[in-house]
Amino acid sequence: KMVDPTLAEMGKNLNEAMKMLEDNQRKEEENEKRYTRKDIPGPLQGSGQDMVSILQLVQNLMHGEEEEESSQSYRLQNVGEQGHMALLGHSLAAYISVLDRERLRKLTTRILSDTTLWLCRLFRYENGSAYYHEDDREGLLKICRLVIHTRYEDYTVEGFNVLYTKQPVIYISSAARMGLGQALCNQLGLPLSCMCRVPCNTMFGSQHQMDVALLDRLIKDDAESGKMPLLLVANAGKYWTPGAGHTDKLGRLKELCEQYNMWLHVEGVNLATLALGYVSSSVLAATKCDSMTLTLGSWLGLPAVPAVTLYRHEDPSLSLAAGLTSSQPVEKLRALPLWLSLQYLGHDGIVERIKHASQLSQRLLENLKNLDFIKTSVEDELSSPVVVFRFFQEYANRDQTPHAAPTSAIQHPIISNERHVCDTFNQWLGEQLAQLVPASGVDVVELEDEGTCVRFSPLMTSAVLGTEIQDVDQLVDCLKMKIPVLTSTLQLREEFEQEVRRTVGLVYIEDLSWPGLGVVRYSYHSDGKNDDKQEKELEKINTELLKKLNDLESDLSFSLGPEFGGEKNCVYIGMVTEDLDVSELVETIAATGREIEENSRLLENMTEVVRKGIQEAQLQLQKANEERLLEEGLLRQIPVVSSVLNWFSPFQASPKGRTFNLTAGSLESTESTYVSKAQGTGTTPPPTPTSSLAKQRLPGQKIFKRSLRSSDAFSETSSISHCDDLEKMEQRPPVLSPGHDQGRLEPGMKEQQQAATLVTATERDTVPSDKSPSACTQAEEQGSQR
C-alpha cells in the first residue's frame, strides 16, 4: 500500500521522539550534562538547535533530578502503542489543518461521524450526538446552556432578563464533587441561589444515593414559588467525589425528570461497564438519560484524548447556539486522537480493557470479604469497578448498635475520638499500601459517614500502571501483614496512656492524628526558672531522649512527629506489635529522661561551683596581696630599694598556694601537698546516675519484647529451689565415721562439703538458674559414690 511520504515521515519522527523520551538507559556523561543545565531560562539562540538537542532538553525537564524515583517515568513506559496513536493524532491534526477548506470539511465530518457512531454503539446510547472537550466539566456546562436555550425561548434576544423573571434551578447531589455547582454558576453567570444541593438518604436506603422523595418535594416547592426546575446532575459510580463507587437511582430519577420536564445528566466511572456484555440494571438505566459524560482517556490509558459528552437533542440550531457543535472544521479535529485510538484498539480491545479492570476489582473484593477488621463501603458491589474499604475494629468495652443515628458521634465525644483515631489509622494504611504496591494505584478518600477509606479503582489506573492479578494478590498480602500491626497498636494505646499517666516525670500528649502507639513528653522539675529557659532545657532533654531511644536495639520507631501540626518537645512512637512490653517501654523512657536530666543538672551545678570558686579565689588572692604588703613593708615594694634591701636582709616567706576541689566545690590550701610532696585524692565523686533496667532476655530477644510467662515462672522456681538446697547443705552436720576423731571427716564427705562450699560461694547470676539444681544433684551423687 502506498502511504503519503509526509505521513510516513511524521510517524517515524514520532516513534523516534517517543523512544528517546522513554529511554532511561543513558550514559554517565549525558547525566553530567543534564545536571549542569540550570532551570533559569536563558536567551534564545540565534542559530537554532537540532531536534535531538531539543528533545534532550524536554527529556531533562520531564524527568528532573529524581528520575529513578519518579512515578512519571513509570507511567510513560506503560503508554504503549495505543498511546502513540493518540499522540500521533495531535500531530496529524496540526498537519490536516493546512489542507484546503473543502477537503478539510469532508475529512473532519468523516472523523466526527465515525467516532460518534462507534461510541454510541459501544455504550448503548442510541441516536446520540457527541461533544468533545478537554475539561470534563465543560460538557455539562454546554448542556446547561442548551437547556437554558430550550426552556427560555427569548433567551437569545432578552438574555438575563428572562432568567430574572423566572429563576432557573439546577439540582446536584450533596455527594457531588466539590466546587461543581459554583463552577457552573460562575460560567453561566447565575447566582449561587440557582444551585440546589439534594441531600442523600440518611434514615432509609443508601447513605450515598440521592434522596428521591426529598428531591420531589424540592422540585415541587420551587415550581410553586415561580422558579423553573431546569436540570438534574446524577452520578453513576462517583470517582472524584467523596462517595466513591456509588450509583444513584437513575430509573426513578428519570421518571421524576419526565414528570417535571427536566433534563437528566449522568456522569461517573460505572458508565464504562455499559460496554460489557452484562450490565446491572442500575447502570443500564443511564442509557435513557438525556446526556452523559465519558472519560475514555483514563479508562483506556490513552494520553491527551478528549472527554466525550453524548446527548440527544433534535434542534441543531440550539446545539450550535449552546456551543455543542461548531462550524469551524478545525474544532472538529479534537476527535482525531480518539478516532485513531479506537481504531487501533478495536471493539474487542476496548471491552477487554474494561473487563480486565472489573475483574481486578472483583478479585480484591472477594479477598476482602475473608479478612477480619476490614469493611467495604460500596452497596452495589457486583457491578461497581471501584472498591472502597477501611480498617474497622469494634471496641469491647462499649456496645455499639447498628442502627445508631449518625449524630451519635457529636453527642459522645469518646466515640468521636475513636473514629478520629480510626481515620488516622486508615490514612496510614492507605499510604503504606500505595508505597508497598505502587502498581495497584490505591489512594485515600474521605467519606462523609464512614470516614477515611482506601480506594482501589483499576478502571482509572490499571491501563496506565499496568495492574495485573498478581498485583492485587500482593496488595492483599500486604494488607494481611498490616492488619495485626493496626489491631495491636489500637489495643495497646489505652494501656500506654495509663502507664504514662501514672509514671512520674512523663506527660501523655493526646494527638488523635498520629498513627502510632502515642505521644509522650518528659517534663523535669522546674526550680523557679523563667519560661524561655525552661522551654529550652525541656527541648534539649527531649531531643537527647529521642536520640538515646533510637540508639536502642528495638523494633520501635521514635520520631519528632509530623512535619506540620505536631506537638513540640515530644517523642512520637510509631506502630507496634502485640508482644510489646508497654510497662518496660514507659519505664525505660522515664529512666532515660531522669538520667539525662540528672546529668544536665550535675553539669549545671558544677559550672556554678566553678564560677563561685573563681570568685572566691580572686578574693583570696587580693587578700593575700594585702597581707604580703603588710608583711614585707613599704620599702620592699620599691623596685630599686627592694633588691638592695633583699640582698642585705633576705625575706623568707612560706609559699601559700590554693587548689580548687571540684568534688567538694571549695578552695583548699596546698600546704599538705608541699609537706607530703604528693597531691591528695580528696573525696570520692558521686556516681553518675544510670537507669537500672538490666532485664534478663532470651538469646536474640530484642528490647521491649515480652517473654513467655511459663519460662519466667520456671526460671524463678528453679532459682528458689536452688537456694533452698544450698541452705540445707550448709546446715547439714558432717557425718563421722566410727573409730575416727571428731575433727576428721570421711574422704567422700570432705569432697562433698568442698563442692557445696564452692557452689555456695558462687553468685546467682554466674550460675544459670535452670542448671543450678542439676549442679547440686551432681555434687551429691559424686559424694555418695565416693
Side-chain angles (χ1 to χ4, degrees):
K1 297 181 180 180
M2 299 298 294
V3 181
D4 189 354
T6 305
L7 295 179
E9 184 179 1
M10 183 183 303
K12 180 181 178 181
N13 293 336
L14 179 64
N15 292 332
E16 293 178 355
M18 292 302 300
K19 182 178 180 181
M20 182 177 298
L21 292 176
E22 294 177 354
D23 186 14
N24 292 327
Q25 304 296 332
R26 302 177 183 85
K27 300 179 180 180
E28 296 181 358
E29 54 269 15
E30 293 178 351
N31 286 333
E32 294 178 358
K33 291 182 180 179
R34 177 168 60 91
Y35 291 114
T36 55
R37 181 175 180 87
K38 304 297 182 181
D39 293 334
I40 302 177
L44 182 64
Q45 297 186 10
S47 58
Q49 301 184 39
D50 56 357
M51 187 181 66
V52 177
S53 301
I54 297 175
L55 291 178
Q56 184 68 38
L57 174 61
V58 174
Q59 181 186 25
N60 298 338
L61 295 176
M62 288 171 56
H63 297 285
E65 298 182 0
E66 301 178 355
E67 177 188 352
E68 297 181 356
E69 301 177 358
S70 177
S71 61
Q72 298 296 329
S73 61
Y74 184 79
R75 287 173 179 263
L76 285 177
Q77 292 178 0
N78 289 275
V79 167
E81 294 184 1
Q82 76 278 359
H84 292 180
M85 296 299 297
L87 299 178
L88 180 61
H90 291 276
S91 301
L92 285 176
Y95 175 70
I96 294 174
S97 62
V98 300
L99 298 178
D100 59 275
R101 188 175 184 83
E102 183 63 23
R103 186 174 300 179
L104 178 61
R105 185 187 62 81
K106 292 181 179 180
L107 180 59
T108 54
T109 303
R110 171 64 184 276
I111 293 173
L112 195 63
S113 59
D114 287 351
T115 310
T116 303
L117 178 63
W118 296 338
L119 292 177
C120 289
R121 290 182 177 178
L122 187 63
F123 293 97
R124 311 185 185 199
Y125 198 80
E126 299 178 357
N127 301 325
S129 302
Y131 172 66
Y132 303 90
H133 46 92
E134 302 297 334
D135 189 359
D136 55 352
R137 297 178 299 182
E138 187 179 355
L140 178 58
L141 175 64
K142 296 298 178 64
I143 291 295
C144 291
R145 290 178 177 173
L146 174 63
V147 179
I148 291 176
H149 280 86
T150 304
R151 299 296 302 275
Y152 295 92
E153 298 180 357
D154 299 333
Y155 179 75
T156 307
V157 180
E158 298 294 335
F160 70 93
N161 290 328
V162 296
L163 302 180
Y164 178 77
T165 56
K166 200 169 186 179
Q167 180 178 344
V169 182
I170 301 175
Y171 302 90
I172 62 174
S173 174
S174 60
R177 50 180 161 175
M178 299 299 296
L180 178 61
Q182 185 176 1
L184 292 177
C185 291
N186 293 337
Q187 295 294 327
L188 296 173
L190 299 176
L192 292 179
S193 58
C194 294
M195 194 63 54
C196 179
R197 298 182 65 89
V198 183
C200 296
N201 294 66
T202 55
M203 299 301 296
F204 304 99
S206 171
Q207 297 180 355
H208 304 284
Q209 293 179 341
M210 195 181 304
D211 193 338
V212 181
L214 181 59
L215 175 63
D216 188 8
R217 292 196 299 268
L218 291 175
I219 296 175
K220 186 178 298 184
D221 294 342
D222 292 336
E224 293 177 355
S225 61
K227 298 180 181 181
M228 180 177 289
L230 198 66
L231 181 140
L232 172 63
V233 182
N235 296 282
K238 302 178 284 293
Y239 180 78
W240 299 112
T241 59
H246 304 278
T247 303
D248 290 327
K249 301 174 183 178
L250 301 180
R252 295 185 59 188
L253 293 179
K254 178 59 180 175
E255 296 175 359
L256 192 63
C257 290
E258 291 178 352
Q259 178 182 351
Y260 292 98
N261 193 20
M262 292 174 55
W263 187 284
L264 177 60
H265 178 83
V266 183
E267 58 182 13
V269 294
N270 286 357
L271 295 176
T273 59
L274 292 172
L276 301 179
Y278 170 77
V279 186
S280 63
S281 58
S282 59
V283 180
L284 189 60
T287 58
K288 304 299 181 181
C289 65
D290 299 302
S291 61
M292 65 169 63
T293 298
L294 311 175
T295 55
L296 297 173
S298 57
W299 297 350
L300 304 178
L302 303 175
V305 296
V308 185
T309 296
L310 302 178
Y311 64 96
R312 296 189 184 97
H313 200 267
E314 298 178 355
D315 193 346
S317 61
L318 295 182
S319 300
L320 180 63
L324 290 170
T325 58
S326 175
S327 60
Q328 299 296 327
V330 179
E331 295 187 6
K332 298 180 181 180
L333 291 175
R334 291 180 181 176
L336 182 57
L338 190 58
W339 183 73
L340 294 174
S341 301
L342 293 179
Q343 291 185 90
Y344 182 83
L345 291 174
H347 182 275
D348 296 339
I350 296 173
V351 173
E352 183 63 27
R353 284 177 176 263
I354 299 176
K355 184 179 179 180
H356 175 67
S358 300
Q359 290 176 351
L360 294 176
S361 299
Q362 295 302 317
R363 179 64 172 265
L364 179 62
L365 187 61
E366 292 174 359
N367 290 315
L368 293 180
K369 291 181 178 179
N370 300 326
L371 295 180
D372 297 331
F373 309 108
I374 295 298
K375 176 183 177 183
T376 57
S377 302
V378 180
E379 287 85 0
D380 195 5
E381 296 176 342
L382 298 178
S383 61
S384 176
V386 182
V387 179
V388 181
F389 62 93
R390 67 193 298 262
F391 167 76
F392 180 76
Q393 183 177 5
E394 293 283 354
Y395 288 86
N397 57 351
R398 187 176 297 108
D399 295 334
Q400 294 186 359
T401 57
H403 303 287
T407 58
S408 60
I410 303 177
Q411 299 175 359
H412 303 283
I414 298 179
I415 300 178
S416 178
N417 293 342
E418 292 174 353
R419 175 177 174 177
H420 196 168
V421 173
C422 191
D423 291 344
T424 302
F425 278 40
N426 281 280
Q427 178 77 24
W428 177 85
L429 177 62
E431 294 174 356
Q432 289 291 314
L433 294 178
Q435 183 179 2
L436 294 175
V437 192
S440 64
V442 296
D443 59 349
V444 180
V445 294
E446 295 288 340
L447 300 185
E448 183 178 359
D449 298 314
E450 284 85 356
T452 305
C453 299
V454 183
R455 176 177 57 186
F456 176 68
S457 181
L459 188 60
M460 303 294 292
T461 60
S462 63
V464 176
L465 299 178
T467 311
E468 299 294 339
I469 296 294
Q470 55 268 22
D471 297 323
V472 177
D473 296 338
Q474 183 182 0
L475 181 66
V476 175
D477 294 339
C478 294
L479 185 59
K480 291 180 180 178
M481 292 189 303
K482 297 300 179 182
I483 288 177
V485 178
L486 291 170
T487 54
S488 58
T489 305
L490 193 60
Q491 292 174 358
L492 294 176
R493 279 177 69 98
E494 185 176 357
E495 181 181 354
F496 176 76
E497 179 181 357
Q498 296 176 358
E499 288 288 341
V500 172
R501 293 189 183 278
R502 71 167 62 104
T503 304
V504 179
L506 297 182
V507 178
Y508 179 80
I509 305 299
E510 186 176 8
D511 191 350
L512 301 179
S513 60
W514 171 249
L517 184 63
V519 186
V520 64
R521 173 187 296 160
Y522 183 81
S523 179
Y524 69 99
H525 305 285
S526 60
D527 299 334
K529 302 176 181 179
N530 52 17
D531 296 338
D532 295 338
K533 187 175 181 180
Q534 183 178 354
E535 186 72 19
K536 292 181 180 180
E537 292 185 3
L538 184 63
E539 180 181 1
K540 181 179 179 181
I541 292 176
N542 284 275
T543 303
E544 185 67 21
L545 174 62
L546 177 63
K547 181 180 179 181
K548 286 185 175 295
L549 291 176
N550 284 323
D551 293 339
L552 299 176
E553 296 182 359
S554 65
D555 296 333
L556 301 182
S557 61
F558 303 94
S559 63
L560 293 175
E563 184 178 0
F564 303 101
E567 294 285 342
K568 295 182 179 180
N569 304 329
C570 296
V571 177
Y572 285 75
I573 306 174
M575 292 289 176
V576 298
T577 54
E578 60 180 357
D579 58 348
L580 174 68
D581 194 341
V582 178
S583 59
E584 182 186 359
L585 172 62
V586 176
E587 183 183 357
T588 303
I589 296 175
T592 307
R594 287 193 299 268
E595 179 181 348
I596 297 173
E597 179 186 359
E598 291 174 1
N599 290 337
S600 176
R601 290 184 179 276
L602 181 62
L603 181 60
E604 182 181 357
N605 294 336
M606 185 178 296
T607 304
E608 184 67 20
V609 168
V610 171
R611 186 183 64 83
K612 292 182 179 179
I614 293 174
Q615 294 178 356
E616 184 179 355
Q618 291 177 351
L619 294 176
Q620 292 191 10
L621 288 176
Q622 183 179 2
K623 184 178 180 181
N625 290 333
E626 294 176 357
E627 293 178 354
R628 179 185 174 186
L629 179 59
L630 295 176
E631 224 176 280
E632 296 180 357
L634 183 60
L635 294 178
R636 294 186 182 272
Q637 307 303 321
I638 301 175
V640 180
V641 178
S642 60
S643 59
V644 176
L645 186 59
N646 289 333
W647 185 73
F648 282 104
S649 177
F651 181 78
Q652 300 292 334
S654 59
K656 296 181 180 180
R658 295 290 186 271
T659 178
F660 184 74
N661 192 343
L662 289 175
T663 305
S666 61
L667 287 174
E668 298 178 358
S669 176
T670 58
E671 184 177 358
S672 59
T673 304
Y674 286 103
V675 172
S676 61
K677 297 183 180 180
Q679 188 173 359
T681 57
T683 59
T684 305
T688 303
T690 57
S691 58
S692 57
L693 295 175
K695 180 180 179 181
Q696 293 184 356
R697 303 186 181 280
L698 298 176
Q701 181 181 1
K702 291 187 177 182
I703 193 173
F704 308 138
K705 297 294 184 181
R706 290 181 296 185
S707 59
L708 297 178
R709 294 184 178 181
S710 58
S711 61
D712 293 343
F714 173 77
S715 177
E716 184 179 357
T717 306
S718 302
S719 302
I720 296 176
S721 61
H722 172 60
C723 297
D724 295 340
D725 293 341
L726 291 179
E727 292 177 0
K728 292 179 180 180
M729 292 178 64
E730 291 176 355
Q731 297 175 0
R732 183 182 302 172
V735 180
L736 302 179
S737 177
H740 291 78
D741 297 336
Q742 296 290 333
R744 298 183 59 186
L745 296 175
E746 289 291 332
M749 297 304 299
K750 183 176 182 180
E751 293 176 0
Q752 182 178 356
Q753 185 177 7
Q754 291 177 356
T757 306
L758 178 61
V759 176
T760 305
T762 307
E763 294 293 334
R764 185 184 304 177
D765 55 354
T766 305
V767 181
S769 59
D770 54 348
K771 297 182 180 180
S772 56
S774 61
C776 298
T777 307
Q778 183 178 2
E780 293 179 355
E781 291 178 356
Q782 292 178 358
S784 61
Q785 291 176 2
R786 294 186 181 181

